[in-house]
């Protein structure tokens, strides 16, 4: 089932939770709503479910207006962040609940319910836990029971609120893969909320990056990663260094007067001395030992950590008048190169950005770190 | 420095966080002495005094018509007041714990009002409202409805005084449980009534049970408010606590203590039921703790055998 979200607005008191959000979700898609806490992603999910009502705007399921349809009749499956399993019921009764509360006319009999519940428990590979209570399950098991319970009513759309948020790292990775495979099998339209960019990029068909109640970018994981539409998206997806400067005629100048570095910024060919911010990923630097005529950002290596194949380096570029208030720069190079060059802490190095993204004027606003 | 201090500190208090033995013994002794003096001794005194003239006299005191009538009135009052407060209490707790609305803090305070007002004042309020000289007095007299110095007044005063017990017991419980399970039930298609009956009520049943027990104990034991509105008509508007007072004032102390022993018994039964309820809860938790650990490797990709749902 496709979902069409049009101009949704929602305020909580003075706080703008959602500010004119529009979004189209195709049937059978797996969508991630990604953003920092307080960006409105959970509110949007709850409005789609019908657990909250929007102040303005409409929601349509398969072209049919559902804005005023009660949550009971929306036929959505919702998996809560903390699962919200019924604590006084066994796993079996939890999954059976959606079937047992159906109106008498459409309610399946006990044998049918048992059949269906066991099929669902098999689907989530937890049939052996049918007689246990939620308190007796691990986090990952609760998560999957919550999913089985949501699927019992054959929802047209599955909504998951931070589905892996409360799990430890290893379980989270396994469940992530498992959810993806489950979705491919059932092909029910699925939307999940997350603040973890890795999770969003790995699992979803399309990522919706949100910030301050608005959609920043919608796109396939690869597209969002390679070509962030805004400074916020660039900063939110992975670590990044930012450099302030000015852009003139397609060239951005950063660094001090003595040691200037020019970055190509073809988006701003017509600009003249426009304040801008350049974003450089830590692994997009060439790191060399200092020599006076080399072009690049001169910086002191403060700390280097080599774990596995990557050397993480923290450097400080002196501003006019010494090291006080100097900007911290993170750079990453292959560990082999680090050992080959034998850089030591305290050395002066030159950083040459291989690749940079420049945002000037209004686009530079909204930068945030995850 | 800390290494130097540590050994001597350890020798003084073995557990690290435990007090020296003599402090512990003293504290426990003080607590036990206090309990014996103020709780056990009076209870024992009630029973000895009640049985001073023998078992026969004790039985006679309880079978005397005025005593039987007092017991009956007390039971009737409790049978009306407790169910009423059960409904009010659950409704108030539900509203306060699960919803956000204007004036919520005020309502919470209002629920506590009967705790903070002296029961005598509570009784007087009803006399002022429904008494012969009260606001509604003339109207009630014209329609031949008796509230003050009659059973309805006693029930009203009791309902007022016992109102907070169930609500107070439930509000923190319901607040700690949050709304998630109710929301989950509604998303799954349950109606409001189904949600309350199958999700909310089972989660609060022990708290509700304990609230009812406390409410009942107070409803049967209430003296002040009931004393003001009852009029002390023997055989008609005397409850057990009032009957005890009358007997005592007339120097029938054995009979007074016999009736009082029934009230004391009620307190003991209440405590016993509470202990059983808590013991059962504890047993469930213990059973949960003793379960075998979860199976490993269930997420393994090769174990994935998907079947279509339904």
């Amino acid at each position: 089932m496709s979902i069409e979200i049009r101009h949704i607005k929602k305020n909580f008191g003075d706080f703008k939770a959602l500010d004119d959000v529009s979004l189209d979700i195709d049937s059978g898609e797996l969508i991630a709503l990604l953003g920092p806490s307080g960006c409105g992603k959970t509110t949007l999910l709850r409005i789609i479910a019908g657990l909250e009502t929007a102040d303005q705007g409409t929601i349509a399921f398969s072209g049919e207006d559902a804005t005023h349809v009660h949550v009971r009749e929306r036929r959505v499956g919702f998996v809560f962040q903390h699962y919200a399993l019924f604590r006084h019921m066994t796993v079996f009764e939890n999954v059976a609940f959606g079937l047992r509360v159906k109106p008498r006319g459409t309610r399946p009999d006990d044998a049918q319910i048992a059949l269906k519940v066991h099929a669902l428990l098999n689907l989530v590979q937890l049939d052996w836990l049918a007689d246990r209570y939620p308190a007796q399950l691990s986090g990952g098991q609760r998560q999957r029971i919550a999913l089985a319970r949501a699927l019992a009513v054959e929802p047209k759309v599955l909504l998951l609120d931070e589905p892996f948020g409360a799990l430890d790292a290893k379980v989270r990775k396994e469940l992530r893969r498992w959810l993806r495979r489950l979705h491919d099998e059932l092909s029910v339209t699925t939307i999940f909320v997350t603040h973890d960019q890795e999770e969003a990029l790995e699992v979803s068909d399309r990522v919706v990056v949100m910030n301050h109640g608005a959609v920043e970018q919608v796109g396939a994981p690869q597209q969002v990663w390679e070509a962030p539409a805004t400074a916020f998206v660039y900063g939110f997806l992975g670590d990044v260094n930012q450099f302030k400067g000015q852009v003139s005629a397609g060239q951005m100048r950063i660094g001090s007067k003595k040691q200037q570095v020019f970055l190509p910024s073809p988006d701003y060919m017509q600009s003249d001395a426009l304040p801008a911010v350049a974003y450089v990923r830590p692994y997009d630097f060439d790191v060399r030992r200092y020599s006076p005529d080399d072009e690049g950002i001169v910086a002191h290596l403060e700390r280097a950590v080599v774990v596995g194949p990557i050397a993480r380096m923290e450097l400080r570029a002196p501003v006019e008048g010494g090291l006080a208030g100097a900007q911290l720069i993170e750079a990453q190079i292959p560990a082999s190169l680090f050992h080959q060059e034998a850089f030591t802490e305290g050395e002066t190095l030159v950083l040459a950005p291989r690749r940079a993204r420049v945002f000037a004027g209004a686009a530079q606003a909204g930068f945030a770190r995850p | 420095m800390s290494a130097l201090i540590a050994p001597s500190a350890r020798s003084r208090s073995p557990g690290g966080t435990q007090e020296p033995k003599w402090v512990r013994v003293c504290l426990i002794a003080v607590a036990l002495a206090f309990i014996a003096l103020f709780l056990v001794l009076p209870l024992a005194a009630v029973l000895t005094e009640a049985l001073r003239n023998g078992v026969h006299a004790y039985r006679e005191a309880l079978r005397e018509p005025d005593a039987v009538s007092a017991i009956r009135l007390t039971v009737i009052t409790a049978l009306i007041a407790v169910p009423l407060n059960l409904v009010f209490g659950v409704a108030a707790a539900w509203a306060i714990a699960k919803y956000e609305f204007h004036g919520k803090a005020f309502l919470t305070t209002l629920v506590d009002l009967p705790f903070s007002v002296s029961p005598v004042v509570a009784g007087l309020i009803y006399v002022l409202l429904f008494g012969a000289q009260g606001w509604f007095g003339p109207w009630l007299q014209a329609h031949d409805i008796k509230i003050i110095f009659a059973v309805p007044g006693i029930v009203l005063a009791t309902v007022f005084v016992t109102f907070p017990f169930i609500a107070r017991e439930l509000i923190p419980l319901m607040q700690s449980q949050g709304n998630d399970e109710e929301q989950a039930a509604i998303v799954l298609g349950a109606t409001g009534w189904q949600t309350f009956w199958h999700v909310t009520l089972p989660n609060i049943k022990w708290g509700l049970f304990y609230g009812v027990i406390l409410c009942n104990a107070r409803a049967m034991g209430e003296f002040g408010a009931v004393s003001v509105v009852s009029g002390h008509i023997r055989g008609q508007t005397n409850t057990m606590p009032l009957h005890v007072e009358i007997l005592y004032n007339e120097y029938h102390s054995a009979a007074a203590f016999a009736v009082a022993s029934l009230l004391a018994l009620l307190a003991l039964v209440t405590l016993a039921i509470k202990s059983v309820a808590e013991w059962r809860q504890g047993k469930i938790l213990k059973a949960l703790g003793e379960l075998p650990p979860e199976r490993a490797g269930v997420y393994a990709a090769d174990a994935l055998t998907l079947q279509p749902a339904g």
Side-chain angles (χ1 to χ4, degrees):
Chain A
M1 186 181 64
S2 66
I3 303 170
E4 297 87 40
I5 299 159
R6 291 284 170 273
H7 306 294
I8 291 285
K9 284 186 187 175
K10 175 79 180 174
N11 289 351
F12 292 111
D14 293 336
F15 178 69
K16 266 191 188 172
L18 291 174
D19 189 12
D20 199 16
V21 170
S22 294
L23 194 62
D24 280 299
I25 294 160
D26 293 335
S27 190
E29 251 190 323
L30 178 52
I31 293 271
L33 298 180
L34 174 68
S37 52
C39 74
K41 54 192 193 300
T42 296
T43 307
L44 182 60
L45 193 78
R46 290 174 65 86
I47 286 175
I48 296 171
L51 289 167
E52 306 268 2
T53 45
D55 298 339
Q56 275 178 49
T58 59
I59 291 201
F61 288 166
S62 299
E64 225 170 286
D65 185 25
T67 315
H68 301 291
V69 175
H70 191 270
V71 49
R72 203 178 295 132
E73 274 101 48
R74 282 205 192 186
R75 303 233 0 231
V76 298
F78 199 100
V79 176
F80 290 82
Q81 187 176 0
H82 300 291
Y83 322 129
L85 293 175
F86 306 127
R87 69 195 88 182
H88 62 283
M89 293 183 200
T90 61
V91 163
F92 181 94
E93 286 302 323
N94 262 284
V95 179
F97 186 85
L99 303 171
R100 289 206 200 282
V101 297
K102 282 192 176 188
R104 214 171 287 272
T106 55
R107 193 186 304 161
D109 63 31
D110 277 357
Q112 284 170 306
I113 288 177
L115 209 65
K116 175 132 193 188
V117 170
H118 283 298
L120 282 163
L121 288 176
N122 276 323
L123 178 73
V124 298
Q125 304 150 43
L126 292 176
D127 201 28
W128 54 285
L129 289 175
D131 296 327
R132 296 229 182 153
Y133 285 89
Q136 299 165 271
L137 307 180
S138 71
Q141 290 167 345
R142 279 180 218 180
Q143 175 66 58
R144 287 183 293 159
I145 295 303
L147 200 61
R149 183 179 69 175
L151 289 172
V153 290
E154 289 170 22
K156 293 185 282 184
V157 50
L158 189 59
L159 307 170
L160 304 107
D161 187 6
E162 296 273 2
F164 315 116
L167 304 171
D168 60 60
K170 194 166 155 33
V171 177
R172 188 153 43 183
K173 264 204 150 144
E174 284 169 340
L175 264 182
R176 220 145 74 182
R177 254 174 257 142
W178 178 81
L179 177 73
R180 179 70 233 187
R181 295 177 60 148
L182 185 75
H183 174 265
D184 292 344
E185 191 78 13
L186 300 173
S187 66
V188 55
T189 311
T190 305
I191 306 172
F192 75 99
V193 155
T194 181
H195 61 265
D196 182 341
Q197 35 101 2
E198 199 186 316
E199 197 170 289
L201 296 174
E202 191 184 304
V203 177
S204 65
D205 295 326
R206 279 201 301 158
V207 181
V208 177
V209 187
M210 294 182 66
N211 188 32
H212 293 308
V215 173
E216 294 269 337
Q217 188 175 9
V218 184
Q222 185 74 7
Q223 186 187 349
V224 174
W225 177 258
E226 302 252 296
T230 65
F232 170 80
V233 178
Y234 208 100
F236 193 72
L237 300 178
D239 293 334
V240 73
N241 295 291
Q242 60 176 315
F243 300 96
K244 290 200 173 79
Q246 286 185 335
V247 62
S248 304
Q251 288 282 316
M252 177 168 174
R253 184 175 63 85
I254 60 170
S256 59
K257 283 208 176 61
K258 271 184 281 176
Q259 197 72 42
Q260 288 188 357
V261 183
F262 288 96
L263 302 168
S265 46
D267 294 347
Y268 302 98
M269 291 308 281
Q270 313 301 325
S271 310
D272 183 37
L274 188 67
V277 182
Y279 296 93
V280 184
R281 299 249 186 243
Y283 48 79
D284 280 340
F285 284 114
D286 279 328
V287 183
R288 298 185 286 269
R289 202 164 256 113
Y290 176 72
S291 66
D293 45 321
D294 197 356
E295 194 180 287
I297 303 157
V298 180
H300 295 282
L301 178 59
E302 279 204 337
R303 218 171 102 79
V305 182
V306 187
V307 178
I310 288 168
R312 292 164 207 277
M313 307 159 80
E314 285 174 21
L315 305 104
R316 261 182 214 283
V319 285
E320 271 106 300
L323 268 172
Q327 186 187 2
L328 184 75
I329 304 170
E330 286 176 45
Q332 291 176 7
I333 58 171
S336 54
L337 183 66
F338 184 84
H339 290 306
Q340 188 189 317
E341 293 277 342
F343 294 134
T344 53
E345 289 178 7
E347 244 185 313
T348 305
L349 305 175
V350 175
L351 300 168
R354 273 196 304 269
R355 212 158 68 121
R357 184 79 195 267
V358 176
F359 293 99
Q364 74 185 38
F367 175 80
R369 283 188 165 255
Chain B
M1 191 66 186
S2 62
L4 287 175
I5 290 168
S8 64
R10 202 180 300 134
S11 65
R12 252 186 281 126
S13 53
T17 57
Q18 273 194 344
E19 300 299 330
K21 192 165 184 185
W22 68 269
V23 174
R24 278 182 281 153
V25 170
C26 276
L27 285 173
I28 291 169
V30 167
L32 285 180
F34 191 87
I35 289 172
L37 193 61
F38 288 94
L39 293 176
V40 181
L41 205 60
L43 203 60
V46 168
L47 283 175
T48 10
E49 286 296 320
L51 293 168
R52 174 177 292 245
N53 298 345
V55 180
H56 182 72
Y58 179 84
R59 210 182 295 152
E60 278 308 304
L62 295 183
R63 275 160 65 175
E64 189 238 344
D66 285 354
V68 170
S69 145
I71 292 170
R72 190 190 299 134
L73 181 58
T74 300
V75 170
I76 288 171
T77 307
L79 279 180
I80 299 171
V82 173
L84 275 181
N85 276 334
L86 178 73
V87 175
F88 293 156
V90 170
W94 175 282
I96 288 169
K98 309 270 178 180
Y99 294 97
E100 289 301 324
F101 52 90
H102 287 289
K104 183 167 151 173
F106 181 66
L107 182 64
T108 314
T109 317
L110 218 56
V111 167
D112 281 340
L113 186 71
F115 272 164
S116 49
V117 168
S118 161
V120 177
V121 177
L124 276 175
I125 294 168
Y126 288 108
V127 172
L128 284 174
L129 283 177
F130 304 119
Q133 319 297 325
W135 287 9
F136 304 114
W139 187 88
L140 289 170
Q141 260 173 344
H143 290 80
D144 201 24
I145 301 170
K146 270 188 146 177
I147 291 183
I148 300 305
F149 305 146
V151 177
I154 294 172
V155 172
L156 271 179
T158 308
V159 168
F160 178 86
V161 170
T162 59
F163 178 71
F165 283 93
I166 291 174
R168 267 286 136 209
E169 198 66 34
L170 291 184
I171 289 168
L173 184 67
M174 287 172 112
Q175 272 173 339
S176 74
Q177 288 176 349
N179 277 343
D180 278 7
E181 288 183 45
E182 279 83 3
Q183 287 183 357
I186 289 172
V187 173
L188 287 168
T191 60
W193 179 248
Q194 285 172 323
T195 304
F196 176 75
W197 199 248
H198 296 298
V199 176
T200 307
L201 199 58
N203 277 340
I204 59 168
K205 64 180 174 201
W206 288 111
L208 187 63
F209 182 64
Y210 186 47
V212 166
I213 294 286
L214 280 182
C215 181
N216 181 55
R218 183 63 191 268
M220 290 189 167
E222 175 55 26
F223 178 83
V226 171
S227 174
V228 176
V229 295
S230 103
H232 304 266
I233 307 166
R234 281 194 205 193
Q236 283 182 35
T237 63
N238 256 358
T239 60
M240 281 164 75
L242 302 184
H243 189 62
V244 171
E245 194 213 15
I246 288 176
L247 289 173
Y248 187 77
N249 285 346
E250 291 173 352
Y251 304 105
H252 299 301
S253 75
F257 278 111
V259 179
S261 72
L262 275 190
L263 285 171
L265 194 70
L266 174 74
L268 290 180
V269 168
T270 305
L271 278 180
I273 292 174
K274 180 189 172 239
S275 304
V276 169
E278 278 174 356
W279 174 74
R280 282 202 50 169
Q281 280 284 66
K283 212 171 77 165
I284 292 167
L285 287 178
K286 201 166 163 240
L288 289 186
E290 282 170 356
L291 276 159
E294 56 179 291
R295 226 191 272 173
V298 284
Y299 308 109
D302 57 356
L304 196 86
T305 47
L306 288 169
Q307 291 171 8

